[in-house]
Amino acid sequence: MTTPSDPASLDVLRQRLAAVASLDAAALAAEEIAVLGRKQGELTHQLKALATLALDEKRARGAALNALKLEFEAAVVARRAELAHAASAAEARDIDLTMPGRQLWVGTRHPVTVVIDEIVAIFREIGFAVALGPEIENEERNFGALNFPPDHPALDMHDTLYLDPRGAEWPVGERLLLRTHTSPVQVRVMRAGPPPYRVVIPGLAYRNDPFDASHAPAFAQIEGLAVDEGVTFVDLKATLTHFARRFFRPDVKVRFRPSFFPFTEPSAEMDVSCAICGGIGCAACKGTGWMEILGGGMVHENVLRNCDVDPERYTGFAFGMGPARMAMLRYGLPDIRLLYGGDMRFLSQFGAAGR
Ligand code: PHE
């Protein structure tokens, strides 16, 4: 430290003042304390020492020191602002505005879900409610109540996924299985209360099938059930024709072919004119111009009886369709594994479009 009266001490302070403009942030902080600090600061020290000087010397030196102090303070503030500015400029330089953005992962609905929602919406418009049931069922609801004879081949472990392979030990009808269709929910709906019923039942079904172009071991179904007084086959045809026109296009042609299911009598399969070729005949419809989209029929009187519904008073129709198949027909997909294979590159193309 210089002595108070030493004129050189002012020069030293002026030199330090001049140097402020080139200090870095840490040095600036240290220099501020070293010069202006209230206890140890050099300038503070010099100002305090004025008290020991003669009056005229005190006045001149005091004025000079005070001017220097103001300048020093201003220089520190200016340098600090400069450093802050430089820091944010450097930070800005670190942002590469040409770098591609990070892609946000936005989930999309599965194409089969898109189709299910759409089918359900069409039936809701005409007064159907949604009913749901469990994927684990017993043999009685999956088969027995639905009028399958006990020796029906569907009951074979070859086709049905039983949950307990020692199933023979279970009482007949109580063996647990993965439902092979959504039809057992018909039974649940009818047993839950008296008619009328007007429901659609979306859900998964399971079969012991190989995963190939047209089969999946787990697949979606949509069941329909309408039971009331005076329901006829005309209602079935009108309802399903309306559905096909809404789902495909207003000018789609439909035809019903006789078929068989244990739980409907009579039974039918419905075809629509090929969505790909418009009915001319192509690979998708195997040259026939028609594509089968669902099975249905009038609820068998045994089924009504098994579910405590009086067949003398009530009649009804039921139908079942595979939304994956509907999606394949609509989008012209050749292989069900595209839908149930879990390849996001394929699946994410559909859901985003929504309805
Ligand atoms: N349950 C049948 C199936 O899985 C479809 C169906 C439902 C047929 C309702 C008639 C009535 O193939």
Side-chain angles (χ1 to χ4, degrees):
M1 229 170 246
T2 50
T3 54
S5 54
D6 184 355
S9 64
L10 279 178
D11 290 337
V12 171
L13 282 168
R14 283 195 190 95
Q15 280 164 21
R16 292 176 79 164
L17 170 65
V20 164
S22 54
L23 296 177
D24 67 17
L28 182 67
E31 184 68 348
E32 186 179 22
I33 292 166
V35 175
L36 298 172
R38 271 199 281 160
K39 285 188 180 147
Q40 305 286 322
E42 176 67 21
L43 244 167
T44 317
H45 172 70
Q46 298 270 346
L47 282 165
K48 278 182 188 153
L50 287 174
T52 63
L53 298 179
L55 192 60
D56 52 345
E57 205 185 342
K58 189 192 283 186
R59 207 174 271 147
R61 197 172 161 80
L65 280 171
N66 274 320
L68 207 74
K69 187 181 177 210
L70 289 177
E71 271 187 83
F72 209 97
E73 283 166 352
V76 168
V77 168
R79 179 60 182 158
R80 183 165 290 138
E82 202 174 64
L83 287 170
H85 184 78
S88 66
E91 204 168 280
R93 265 198 319 276
D94 288 345
I95 298 170
D96 178 359
L97 296 175
T98 67
M99 194 169 82
R102 269 185 218 146
Q103 212 187 339
L104 287 182
W105 181 255
V106 180
T108 57
R109 285 188 300 159
H110 191 282
V112 175
T113 305
V114 171
V115 166
I116 290 171
D117 290 349
E118 198 171 327
I119 294 171
V120 167
I122 292 171
F123 282 100
R124 285 177 73 104
E125 282 174 1
I126 55 173
F128 283 71
V130 173
L132 300 173
E135 291 168 17
I136 294 174
E137 267 297 0
N138 68 16
E139 221 170 15
E140 196 271 334
R141 276 182 299 265
N142 194 81
F143 294 125
L146 292 168
N147 200 39
F148 283 70
D151 59 353
H152 192 283
L155 275 74
D156 193 33
M157 293 219 336
H158 206 74
D159 300 310
T160 298
L161 293 160
Y162 286 91
L163 289 177
D164 186 347
R166 298 162 302 159
E169 290 163 25
W170 287 74
V172 173
E174 282 182 30
R175 284 201 289 179
L176 293 180
L177 44 76
L178 292 176
R179 67 183 179 192
T180 60
H181 49 182
T182 44
S183 302
V185 189
Q186 285 189 37
V187 178
R188 289 176 176 272
V189 168
M190 288 192 274
R191 286 179 178 168
Y197 317 113
R198 246 174 226 92
V199 291
V200 281
I201 303 153
L204 286 177
Y206 301 83
R207 287 181 198 172
N208 196 5
D209 281 332
F211 198 14
D212 65 21
S214 52
H215 298 86
F219 56 97
Q221 279 201 330
I222 296 183
E223 189 87 8
L225 176 70
V227 176
D228 202 345
E229 291 179 12
V231 174
T232 70
F233 201 89
V234 172
D235 298 303
L236 165 77
K237 281 185 81 170
T239 302
L240 294 177
T241 301
H242 167 80
F243 161 72
R245 288 180 181 155
R246 287 281 280 108
F247 184 81
F248 290 103
R249 36 192 286 182
D251 60 353
V252 76
K253 289 199 232 1
V254 300
R255 73 175 185 188
F256 291 80
R257 287 176 292 103
S259 185
F260 177 81
F261 301 101
F263 36 96
T264 48
E265 180 59 34
S267 302
E269 256 151 2
M270 183 169 101
D271 298 340
V272 293
S273 48
C274 177
I276 311 292
C277 68
I280 302 160
C282 67
C285 60
K286 299 194 183 81
T288 65
W290 295 97
M291 297 191 303
E292 181 196 323
I293 65 162
L294 56 81
M298 301 307 290
V299 181
H300 197 293
E301 61 180 290
N302 289 348
V303 175
L304 293 176
R305 232 175 264 118
N306 291 339
C307 300
D308 306 315
V309 174
D310 178 4
E312 299 299 324
R313 180 169 172 198
Y314 295 105
T315 50
F317 64 83
F319 58 88
M321 64 181 113
R325 185 172 167 75
M326 308 287 282
M328 289 168 72
L329 297 181
R330 166 181 275 184
Y331 299 123
L333 309 177
D335 193 317
I336 200 169
R337 288 171 292 195
L338 287 168
L339 291 171
Y340 287 134
D343 184 341
M344 293 305 294
R345 292 171 305 175
F346 175 79
L347 296 173
S348 61
Q349 301 174 82
F350 293 86
R355 306 232 289 121

mmCIF file of all heavy atoms in Angstrom, residues 62-105:
data_model
loop_
_atom_site.group_PDB
_atom_site.id
_atom_site.type_symbol
_atom_site.label_atom_id
_atom_site.label_comp_id
_atom_site.label_asym_id
_atom_site.label_seq_id
_atom_site.Cartn_x
_atom_site.Cartn_y
_atom_site.Cartn_z
ATOM 1 N N GLY A 62 -8.276 15.005 -1.796
ATOM 2 C CA GLY A 62 -9.624 14.458 -1.586
ATOM 3 C C GLY A 62 -10.452 14.533 -2.857
ATOM 4 O O GLY A 62 -11.114 13.568 -3.236
ATOM 5 N N ALA A 63 -10.389 15.710 -3.515
ATOM 6 C CA ALA A 63 -11.148 15.874 -4.765
ATOM 7 C C ALA A 63 -10.687 14.867 -5.813
ATOM 8 O O ALA A 63 -11.505 14.215 -6.484
ATOM 9 C CB ALA A 63 -10.976 17.297 -5.285
ATOM 10 N N ALA A 64 -9.368 14.724 -5.918
ATOM 11 C CA ALA A 64 -8.816 13.796 -6.916
ATOM 12 C C ALA A 64 -9.227 12.362 -6.621
ATOM 13 O O ALA A 64 -9.643 11.611 -7.523
ATOM 14 C CB ALA A 64 -7.287 13.914 -6.942
ATOM 15 N N LEU A 65 -9.129 11.999 -5.327
ATOM 16 C CA LEU A 65 -9.485 10.627 -4.944
ATOM 17 C C LEU A 65 -10.969 10.336 -5.198
ATOM 18 O O LEU A 65 -11.333 9.271 -5.699
ATOM 19 C CB LEU A 65 -9.157 10.387 -3.466
ATOM 20 C CG LEU A 65 -7.687 10.077 -3.160
ATOM 21 C CD1 LEU A 65 -7.459 10.074 -1.650
ATOM 22 C CD2 LEU A 65 -7.260 8.750 -3.767
ATOM 23 N N ASN A 66 -11.817 11.326 -4.833
ATOM 24 C CA ASN A 66 -13.255 11.113 -5.044
ATOM 25 C C ASN A 66 -13.600 10.986 -6.520
ATOM 26 O O ASN A 66 -14.424 10.146 -6.905
ATOM 27 C CB ASN A 66 -14.058 12.250 -4.411
ATOM 28 C CG ASN A 66 -14.332 11.950 -2.941
ATOM 29 O OD1 ASN A 66 -14.632 10.802 -2.588
ATOM 30 N ND2 ASN A 66 -14.201 12.954 -2.077
ATOM 31 N N ALA A 67 -12.957 11.801 -7.356
ATOM 32 C CA ALA A 67 -13.194 11.705 -8.798
ATOM 33 C C ALA A 67 -12.774 10.326 -9.301
ATOM 34 O O ALA A 67 -13.483 9.658 -10.073
ATOM 35 C CB ALA A 67 -12.421 12.792 -9.529
ATOM 36 N N LEU A 68 -11.639 9.881 -8.791
ATOM 37 C CA LEU A 68 -11.106 8.586 -9.190
ATOM 38 C C LEU A 68 -12.039 7.442 -8.774
ATOM 39 O O LEU A 68 -12.267 6.487 -9.506
ATOM 40 C CB LEU A 68 -9.728 8.400 -8.529
ATOM 41 C CG LEU A 68 -8.765 7.483 -9.286
ATOM 42 C CD1 LEU A 68 -8.244 8.195 -10.519
ATOM 43 C CD2 LEU A 68 -7.612 7.092 -8.392
ATOM 44 N N LYS A 69 -12.573 7.635 -7.571
ATOM 45 C CA LYS A 69 -13.480 6.604 -7.052
ATOM 46 C C LYS A 69 -14.706 6.458 -7.964
ATOM 47 O O LYS A 69 -15.102 5.352 -8.331
ATOM 48 C CB LYS A 69 -13.915 6.976 -5.632
ATOM 49 C CG LYS A 69 -14.728 5.874 -4.968
ATOM 50 C CD LYS A 69 -15.158 6.279 -3.570
ATOM 51 C CE LYS A 69 -16.034 5.179 -2.975
ATOM 52 N NZ LYS A 69 -17.005 5.706 -2.049
ATOM 53 N N LEU A 70 -15.282 7.624 -8.328
ATOM 54 C CA LEU A 70 -16.454 7.591 -9.223
ATOM 55 C C LEU A 70 -16.108 6.944 -10.562
ATOM 56 O O LEU A 70 -16.844 6.118 -11.091
ATOM 57 C CB LEU A 70 -16.979 9.010 -9.459
ATOM 58 C CG LEU A 70 -17.665 9.667 -8.265
ATOM 59 C CD1 LEU A 70 -18.077 11.109 -8.598
ATOM 60 C CD2 LEU A 70 -18.884 8.861 -7.820
ATOM 61 N N GLU A 71 -14.949 7.320 -11.080
ATOM 62 C CA GLU A 71 -14.525 6.755 -12.366
ATOM 63 C C GLU A 71 -14.324 5.248 -12.270
ATOM 64 O O GLU A 71 -14.685 4.487 -13.173
ATOM 65 C CB GLU A 71 -13.192 7.388 -12.799
ATOM 66 C CG GLU A 71 -13.357 8.634 -13.616
ATOM 67 C CD GLU A 71 -11.998 9.091 -14.156
ATOM 68 O OE1 GLU A 71 -11.555 8.556 -15.192
ATOM 69 O OE2 GLU A 71 -11.383 9.966 -13.497
ATOM 70 N N PHE A 72 -13.717 4.857 -11.134
ATOM 71 C CA PHE A 72 -13.436 3.435 -10.940
ATOM 72 C C PHE A 72 -14.739 2.638 -10.870
ATOM 73 O O PHE A 72 -14.895 1.595 -11.503
ATOM 74 C CB PHE A 72 -12.610 3.233 -9.658
ATOM 75 C CG PHE A 72 -11.719 2.023 -9.741
ATOM 76 C CD1 PHE A 72 -10.375 2.138 -10.093
ATOM 77 C CD2 PHE A 72 -12.239 0.746 -9.496
ATOM 78 C CE1 PHE A 72 -9.559 1.026 -10.174
ATOM 79 C CE2 PHE A 72 -11.430 -0.373 -9.591
ATOM 80 C CZ PHE A 72 -10.073 -0.245 -9.930
ATOM 81 N N GLU A 73 -15.684 3.173 -10.090
ATOM 82 C CA GLU A 73 -16.978 2.501 -9.978
ATOM 83 C C GLU A 73 -17.655 2.369 -11.352
ATOM 84 O O GLU A 73 -18.181 1.314 -11.715
ATOM 85 C CB GLU A 73 -17.901 3.270 -9.021
ATOM 86 C CG GLU A 73 -17.548 3.035 -7.558
ATOM 87 C CD GLU A 73 -18.231 4.035 -6.617
ATOM 88 O OE1 GLU A 73 -18.850 4.999 -7.113
ATOM 89 O OE2 GLU A 73 -18.142 3.836 -5.400
ATOM 90 N N ALA A 74 -17.617 3.472 -12.106
ATOM 91 C CA ALA A 74 -18.238 3.469 -13.435
ATOM 92 C C ALA A 74 -17.553 2.447 -14.344
ATOM 93 O O ALA A 74 -18.199 1.718 -15.109
ATOM 94 C CB ALA A 74 -18.176 4.856 -14.054
ATOM 95 N N ALA A 75 -16.207 2.384 -14.230
ATOM 96 C CA ALA A 75 -15.453 1.452 -15.078
ATOM 97 C C ALA A 75 -15.803 0.009 -14.754
ATOM 98 O O ALA A 75 -15.940 -0.839 -15.652
ATOM 99 C CB ALA A 75 -13.952 1.701 -14.914
ATOM 100 N N VAL A 76 -15.973 -0.261 -13.457
ATOM 101 C CA VAL A 76 -16.329 -1.634 -13.046
ATOM 102 C C VAL A 76 -17.708 -2.009 -13.608
ATOM 103 O O VAL A 76 -17.901 -3.091 -14.177
ATOM 104 C CB VAL A 76 -16.307 -1.772 -11.501
ATOM 105 C CG1 VAL A 76 -16.966 -3.085 -11.071
ATOM 106 C CG2 VAL A 76 -14.874 -1.695 -10.984
ATOM 107 N N VAL A 77 -18.664 -1.100 -13.447
ATOM 108 C CA VAL A 77 -20.021 -1.362 -13.957
ATOM 109 C C VAL A 77 -19.994 -1.586 -15.463
ATOM 110 O O VAL A 77 -20.596 -2.540 -15.990
ATOM 111 C CB VAL A 77 -20.964 -0.184 -13.582
ATOM 112 C CG1 VAL A 77 -22.292 -0.298 -14.343
ATOM 113 C CG2 VAL A 77 -21.202 -0.157 -12.086
ATOM 114 N N ALA A 78 -19.247 -0.737 -16.170
ATOM 115 C CA ALA A 78 -19.193 -0.849 -17.633
ATOM 116 C C ALA A 78 -18.564 -2.170 -18.072
ATOM 117 O O ALA A 78 -19.064 -2.849 -18.974
ATOM 118 C CB ALA A 78 -18.409 0.330 -18.210
ATOM 119 N N ARG A 79 -17.447 -2.513 -17.375
ATOM 120 C CA ARG A 79 -16.765 -3.759 -17.755
ATOM 121 C C ARG A 79 -17.648 -4.976 -17.470
ATOM 122 O O ARG A 79 -17.706 -5.930 -18.245
ATOM 123 C CB ARG A 79 -15.446 -3.875 -16.984
ATOM 124 C CG ARG A 79 -14.655 -5.144 -17.281
ATOM 125 C CD ARG A 79 -14.295 -5.239 -18.747
ATOM 126 N NE ARG A 79 -13.570 -6.472 -19.070
ATOM 127 C CZ ARG A 79 -13.502 -7.003 -20.274
ATOM 128 N NH1 ARG A 79 -14.127 -6.413 -21.287
ATOM 129 N NH2 ARG A 79 -12.816 -8.108 -20.498
ATOM 130 N N ARG A 80 -18.365 -4.922 -16.362
ATOM 131 C CA ARG A 80 -19.223 -6.053 -16.004
ATOM 132 C C ARG A 80 -20.325 -6.229 -17.064
ATOM 133 O O ARG A 80 -20.608 -7.349 -17.492
ATOM 134 C CB ARG A 80 -19.842 -5.820 -14.613
ATOM 135 C CG ARG A 80 -20.697 -6.978 -14.142
ATOM 136 C CD ARG A 80 -20.988 -6.899 -12.659
ATOM 137 N NE ARG A 80 -19.799 -7.147 -11.867
ATOM 138 C CZ ARG A 80 -19.454 -6.465 -10.772
ATOM 139 N NH1 ARG A 80 -20.224 -5.471 -10.339
ATOM 140 N NH2 ARG A 80 -18.360 -6.765 -10.115
ATOM 141 N N ALA A 81 -20.911 -5.117 -17.506
ATOM 142 C CA ALA A 81 -21.961 -5.192 -18.531
ATOM 143 C C ALA A 81 -21.394 -5.769 -19.823
ATOM 144 O O ALA A 81 -22.026 -6.609 -20.490
ATOM 145 C CB ALA A 81 -22.541 -3.806 -18.778
ATOM 146 N N GLU A 82 -20.157 -5.329 -20.137
ATOM 147 C CA GLU A 82 -19.520 -5.802 -21.361
ATOM 148 C C GLU A 82 -19.307 -7.320 -21.324
ATOM 149 O O GLU A 82 -19.573 -8.028 -22.290
ATOM 150 C CB GLU A 82 -18.166 -5.099 -21.468
ATOM 151 C CG GLU A 82 -17.567 -5.024 -22.836
ATOM 152 C CD GLU A 82 -16.298 -4.153 -22.779
ATOM 153 O OE1 GLU A 82 -15.329 -4.553 -22.085
ATOM 154 O OE2 GLU A 82 -16.297 -3.080 -23.402
ATOM 155 N N LEU A 83 -18.824 -7.777 -20.137
ATOM 156 C CA LEU A 83 -18.577 -9.220 -20.006
ATOM 157 C C LEU A 83 -19.880 -10.017 -20.115
ATOM 158 O O LEU A 83 -19.932 -11.069 -20.742
ATOM 159 C CB LEU A 83 -17.891 -9.524 -18.664
ATOM 160 C CG LEU A 83 -16.422 -9.103 -18.580
ATOM 161 C CD1 LEU A 83 -15.923 -9.224 -17.142
ATOM 162 C CD2 LEU A 83 -15.551 -9.959 -19.512
ATOM 163 N N ALA A 84 -20.950 -9.521 -19.493
ATOM 164 C CA ALA A 84 -22.236 -10.223 -19.536
ATOM 165 C C ALA A 84 -22.742 -10.310 -20.969
ATOM 166 O O ALA A 84 -23.232 -11.348 -21.426
ATOM 167 C CB ALA A 84 -23.256 -9.496 -18.662
ATOM 168 N N HIS A 85 -22.584 -9.234 -21.682
ATOM 169 C CA HIS A 85 -23.029 -9.197 -23.072
ATOM 170 C C HIS A 85 -22.255 -10.216 -23.905
ATOM 171 O O HIS A 85 -22.823 -10.970 -24.695
ATOM 172 C CB HIS A 85 -22.831 -7.788 -23.621
ATOM 173 C CG HIS A 85 -23.351 -7.632 -25.012
ATOM 174 N ND1 HIS A 85 -24.689 -7.490 -25.274
ATOM 175 C CD2 HIS A 85 -22.714 -7.625 -26.220
ATOM 176 C CE1 HIS A 85 -24.859 -7.399 -26.583
ATOM 177 N NE2 HIS A 85 -23.686 -7.473 -27.180
ATOM 178 N N ALA A 86 -20.934 -10.239 -23.686
ATOM 179 C CA ALA A 86 -20.086 -11.163 -24.447
ATOM 180 C C ALA A 86 -20.470 -12.606 -24.135
ATOM 181 O O ALA A 86 -20.502 -13.464 -25.025
ATOM 182 C CB ALA A 86 -18.614 -10.915 -24.113
ATOM 183 N N ALA A 87 -20.804 -12.868 -22.878
ATOM 184 C CA ALA A 87 -21.152 -14.235 -22.492
ATOM 185 C C ALA A 87 -22.424 -14.692 -23.202
ATOM 186 O O ALA A 87 -22.496 -15.810 -23.717
ATOM 187 C CB ALA A 87 -21.334 -14.314 -20.974
ATOM 188 N N SER A 88 -23.424 -13.811 -23.238
ATOM 189 C CA SER A 88 -24.669 -14.252 -23.878
ATOM 190 C C SER A 88 -24.487 -14.359 -25.388
ATOM 191 O O SER A 88 -25.102 -15.196 -26.041
ATOM 192 C CB SER A 88 -25.843 -13.338 -23.516
ATOM 193 O OG SER A 88 -25.633 -12.063 -24.060
ATOM 194 N N ALA A 89 -23.604 -13.541 -25.956
ATOM 195 C CA ALA A 89 -23.330 -13.654 -27.391
ATOM 196 C C ALA A 89 -22.663 -14.987 -27.690
ATOM 197 O O ALA A 89 -22.991 -15.656 -28.667
ATOM 198 C CB ALA A 89 -22.451 -12.493 -27.848
ATOM 199 N N ALA A 90 -21.754 -15.394 -26.784
ATOM 200 C CA ALA A 90 -21.061 -16.670 -26.987
ATOM 201 C C ALA A 90 -22.058 -17.817 -26.893
ATOM 202 O O ALA A 90 -22.016 -18.775 -27.668
ATOM 203 C CB ALA A 90 -19.967 -16.835 -25.932
ATOM 204 N N GLU A 91 -22.978 -17.681 -25.945
ATOM 205 C CA GLU A 91 -23.998 -18.707 -25.780
ATOM 206 C C GLU A 91 -24.849 -18.807 -27.046
ATOM 207 O O GLU A 91 -25.180 -19.887 -27.507
ATOM 208 C CB GLU A 91 -24.878 -18.307 -24.598
ATOM 209 C CG GLU A 91 -25.588 -19.452 -23.938
ATOM 210 C CD GLU A 91 -26.181 -18.992 -22.615
ATOM 211 O OE1 GLU A 91 -25.433 -18.903 -21.626
ATOM 212 O OE2 GLU A 91 -27.380 -18.698 -22.624
ATOM 213 N N ALA A 92 -25.198 -17.657 -27.580
ATOM 214 C CA ALA A 92 -26.011 -17.635 -28.793
ATOM 215 C C ALA A 92 -25.274 -18.311 -29.936
ATOM 216 O O ALA A 92 -25.874 -19.013 -30.748
ATOM 217 C CB ALA A 92 -26.360 -16.197 -29.166
ATOM 218 N N ARG A 93 -23.949 -18.106 -29.984
ATOM 219 C CA ARG A 93 -23.166 -18.746 -31.051
ATOM 220 C C ARG A 93 -23.197 -20.261 -30.919
ATOM 221 O O ARG A 93 -23.067 -20.983 -31.893
ATOM 222 C CB ARG A 93 -21.716 -18.263 -31.000
ATOM 223 C CG ARG A 93 -21.433 -17.097 -31.926
ATOM 224 C CD ARG A 93 -19.934 -16.957 -32.164
ATOM 225 N NE ARG A 93 -19.120 -17.153 -30.982
ATOM 226 C CZ ARG A 93 -18.859 -16.211 -30.075
ATOM 227 N NH1 ARG A 93 -19.356 -15.016 -30.215
ATOM 228 N NH2 ARG A 93 -18.092 -16.484 -29.034
ATOM 229 N N ASP A 94 -23.386 -20.780 -29.666
ATOM 230 C CA ASP A 94 -23.399 -22.224 -29.440
ATOM 231 C C ASP A 94 -24.681 -22.886 -29.931
ATOM 232 O O ASP A 94 -24.771 -24.088 -30.019
ATOM 233 C CB ASP A 94 -23.226 -22.533 -27.949
ATOM 234 C CG ASP A 94 -21.784 -22.252 -27.524
ATOM 235 O OD1 ASP A 94 -20.930 -22.116 -28.422
ATOM 236 O OD2 ASP A 94 -21.538 -22.173 -26.320
ATOM 237 N N ILE A 95 -25.724 -22.097 -30.209
ATOM 238 C CA ILE A 95 -26.974 -22.671 -30.708
ATOM 239 C C ILE A 95 -26.880 -22.784 -32.212
ATOM 240 O O ILE A 95 -26.708 -21.801 -32.917
ATOM 241 C CB ILE A 95 -28.182 -21.786 -30.316
ATOM 242 C CG1 ILE A 95 -28.300 -21.720 -28.807
ATOM 243 C CG2 ILE A 95 -29.461 -22.321 -30.953
ATOM 244 C CD1 ILE A 95 -29.304 -20.703 -28.317
ATOM 245 N N ASP A 96 -26.990 -24.041 -32.687
ATOM 246 C CA ASP A 96 -26.925 -24.259 -34.120
ATOM 247 C C ASP A 96 -28.345 -24.239 -34.682
ATOM 248 O O ASP A 96 -29.097 -25.195 -34.545
ATOM 249 C CB ASP A 96 -26.254 -25.610 -34.391
ATOM 250 C CG ASP A 96 -26.210 -25.925 -35.881
ATOM 251 O OD1 ASP A 96 -26.713 -25.093 -36.679
ATOM 252 O OD2 ASP A 96 -25.665 -26.982 -36.240
ATOM 253 N N LEU A 97 -28.662 -23.105 -35.308
ATOM 254 C CA LEU A 97 -30.040 -22.941 -35.798
ATOM 255 C C LEU A 97 -30.362 -23.840 -36.976
ATOM 256 O O LEU A 97 -31.515 -24.021 -37.327
ATOM 257 C CB LEU A 97 -30.287 -21.481 -36.185
ATOM 258 C CG LEU A 97 -30.196 -20.499 -35.023
ATOM 259 C CD1 LEU A 97 -30.343 -19.069 -35.516
ATOM 260 C CD2 LEU A 97 -31.252 -20.796 -33.963
ATOM 261 N N THR A 98 -29.338 -24.432 -37.565
ATOM 262 C CA THR A 98 -29.605 -25.305 -38.717
ATOM 263 C C THR A 98 -29.784 -26.758 -38.290
ATOM 264 O O THR A 98 -30.115 -27.615 -39.102
ATOM 265 C CB THR A 98 -28.437 -25.246 -39.727
ATOM 266 O OG1 THR A 98 -27.276 -25.844 -39.114
ATOM 267 C CG2 THR A 98 -28.136 -23.830 -40.141
ATOM 268 N N MET A 99 -29.558 -27.046 -36.970
ATOM 269 C CA MET A 99 -29.672 -28.425 -36.507
ATOM 270 C C MET A 99 -31.137 -28.874 -36.568
ATOM 271 O O MET A 99 -32.017 -28.145 -36.146
ATOM 272 C CB MET A 99 -29.171 -28.524 -35.077
ATOM 273 C CG MET A 99 -28.927 -29.939 -34.618
ATOM 274 S SD MET A 99 -28.038 -29.968 -33.051
ATOM 275 C CE MET A 99 -29.379 -29.706 -31.918
ATOM 276 N N PRO A 100 -31.405 -30.079 -37.082
ATOM 277 C CA PRO A 100 -32.802 -30.554 -37.131
ATOM 278 C C PRO A 100 -33.368 -30.673 -35.720
ATOM 279 O O PRO A 100 -32.654 -31.067 -34.796
ATOM 280 C CB PRO A 100 -32.693 -31.947 -37.773
ATOM 281 C CG PRO A 100 -31.324 -32.034 -38.332
ATOM 282 C CD PRO A 100 -30.461 -31.070 -37.592
ATOM 283 N N GLY A 101 -34.650 -30.334 -35.555
ATOM 284 C CA GLY A 101 -35.267 -30.399 -34.242
ATOM 285 C C GLY A 101 -35.373 -31.821 -33.745
ATOM 286 O O GLY A 101 -35.343 -32.761 -34.530
ATOM 287 N N ARG A 102 -35.490 -31.986 -32.428
ATOM 288 C CA ARG A 102 -35.734 -33.329 -31.895
ATOM 289 C C ARG A 102 -37.171 -33.691 -32.171
ATOM 290 O O ARG A 102 -38.074 -32.899 -31.928
ATOM 291 C CB ARG A 102 -35.509 -33.336 -30.391
ATOM 292 C CG ARG A 102 -34.081 -33.689 -30.090
ATOM 293 C CD ARG A 102 -33.849 -33.833 -28.615
ATOM 294 N NE ARG A 102 -32.541 -33.282 -28.343
ATOM 295 C CZ ARG A 102 -32.191 -32.656 -27.254
ATOM 296 N NH1 ARG A 102 -33.072 -32.488 -26.298
ATOM 297 N NH2 ARG A 102 -30.985 -32.182 -27.105
ATOM 298 N N GLN A 103 -37.385 -34.916 -32.632
ATOM 299 C CA GLN A 103 -38.755 -35.309 -32.967
ATOM 300 C C GLN A 103 -39.517 -35.687 -31.710
ATOM 301 O O GLN A 103 -39.062 -36.508 -30.924
ATOM 302 C CB GLN A 103 -38.729 -36.480 -33.930
ATOM 303 C CG GLN A 103 -39.922 -36.430 -34.861
ATOM 304 C CD GLN A 103 -40.013 -37.662 -35.722
ATOM 305 O OE1 GLN A 103 -39.044 -38.367 -35.935
ATOM 306 N NE2 GLN A 103 -41.199 -37.918 -36.212
ATOM 307 N N LEU A 104 -40.669 -35.074 -31.526
ATOM 308 C CA LEU A 104 -41.504 -35.435 -30.386
ATOM 309 C C LEU A 104 -42.276 -36.702 -30.739
ATOM 310 O O LEU A 104 -42.745 -36.854 -31.855
ATOM 311 C CB LEU A 104 -42.504 -34.316 -30.089
ATOM 312 C CG LEU A 104 -41.903 -33.072 -29.461
ATOM 313 C CD1 LEU A 104 -42.997 -32.059 -29.175
ATOM 314 C CD2 LEU A 104 -41.173 -33.425 -28.166
ATOM 315 N N TRP A 105 -42.379 -37.601 -29.767
ATOM 316 C CA TRP A 105 -43.103 -38.846 -30.015
ATOM 317 C C TRP A 105 -44.568 -38.616 -29.708
ATOM 318 O O TRP A 105 -44.972 -38.452 -28.569
ATOM 319 C CB TRP A 105 -42.536 -39.958 -29.145
ATOM 320 C CG TRP A 105 -43.246 -41.234 -29.409
ATOM 321 C CD1 TRP A 105 -44.171 -41.832 -28.610
ATOM 322 C CD2 TRP A 105 -43.118 -42.060 -30.570
ATOM 323 N NE1 TRP A 105 -44.626 -42.980 -29.199
ATOM 324 C CE2 TRP A 105 -44.002 -43.144 -30.402
ATOM 325 C CE3 TRP A 105 -42.352 -41.982 -31.743
ATOM 326 C CZ2 TRP A 105 -44.136 -44.142 -31.366
ATOM 327 C CZ3 TRP A 105 -42.490 -42.975 -32.676
ATOM 328 C CH2 TRP A 105 -43.364 -44.039 -32.485
#
